[in-house]
Amino acid sequence: MTVHGADYCPFCPTPSYMMTRTMEPLARKIFKGVLAAELVGVFGAYFLFEKMNSSQDFRQTMSKTFPFILEVYYKSMEQSGMYGVREKDQEKWLDSKN
């Protein structure tokens, strides 16, 4: 009941308990959307890493289209202790040009 005696008054502010109920579905939808975007991003990064890790030809394609992503791949490989991937790729690509 509002001050005016009616259940709903367009001039009275919305009670906080009603606002919480109306915001809950929106907050859940936003949370689900953010969670879905995060999952797509994680699986996409994993797929991209696996593809680059298994195919030297794909890494060459990446070097032409997205060199900054290939640089992140090389840095992550070096951070994990696997050196020489970059050098092997450059050596093969130079040999294939000649």
Side-chain angles (χ1 to χ4, degrees), residues 33-65:
V34 169
L35 185 63
E38 288 280 333
L39 288 174
V40 167
V42 167
F43 284 115
Y46 176 76
F47 171 76
L48 186 63
F49 179 82
E50 282 298 314
K51 185 79 172 165
M52 284 195 294
N53 204 28
S54 62
S55 173
Q56 198 172 34
D57 293 332
F58 184 71
R59 287 195 299 269
Q60 186 174 17
T61 303
M62 290 298 289
S63 73
K64 293 175 184 172
T65 54

Side-chain angles (χ1 to χ4, degrees), residues 20 26 29 35 40 50 54 66 72 75 78:
T20 305
L26 178 63
K29 285 181 183 178
L35 185 63
V40 167
E50 282 298 314
S54 62
F66 300 106
V72 170
K75 296 254 183 190
E78 291 167 359

Side-chain angles (χ1 to χ4, degrees), residues 2-93:
T2 61
V3 178
H4 307 290
D7 286 335
Y8 172 74
C9 175
F11 304 109
C12 294
T14 306
S16 62
Y17 69 89
M18 287 181 71
M19 196 174 269
T20 305
R21 286 186 186 160
T22 58
M23 291 299 287
E24 247 179 54
L26 178 63
R28 283 186 185 181
K29 285 181 183 178
I30 291 172
F31 177 76
K32 286 180 182 178
V34 169
L35 185 63
E38 288 280 333
L39 288 174
V40 167
V42 167
F43 284 115
Y46 176 76
F47 171 76
L48 186 63
F49 179 82
E50 282 298 314
K51 185 79 172 165
M52 284 195 294
N53 204 28
S54 62
S55 173
Q56 198 172 34
D57 293 332
F58 184 71
R59 287 195 299 269
Q60 186 174 17
T61 303
M62 290 298 289
S63 73
K64 293 175 184 172
T65 54
F66 300 106
F68 59 93
I69 293 176
L70 186 63
E71 185 63 29
V72 170
Y73 169 77
Y74 287 142
K75 296 254 183 190
S76 67
M77 294 301 283
E78 291 167 359
Q79 286 289 326
S80 67
M82 298 181 72
Y83 298 98
V85 177
R86 181 192 314 254
E87 290 77 16
K88 287 179 186 175
D89 286 348
Q90 289 172 347
E91 187 178 310
K92 182 184 176 194
W93 299 338

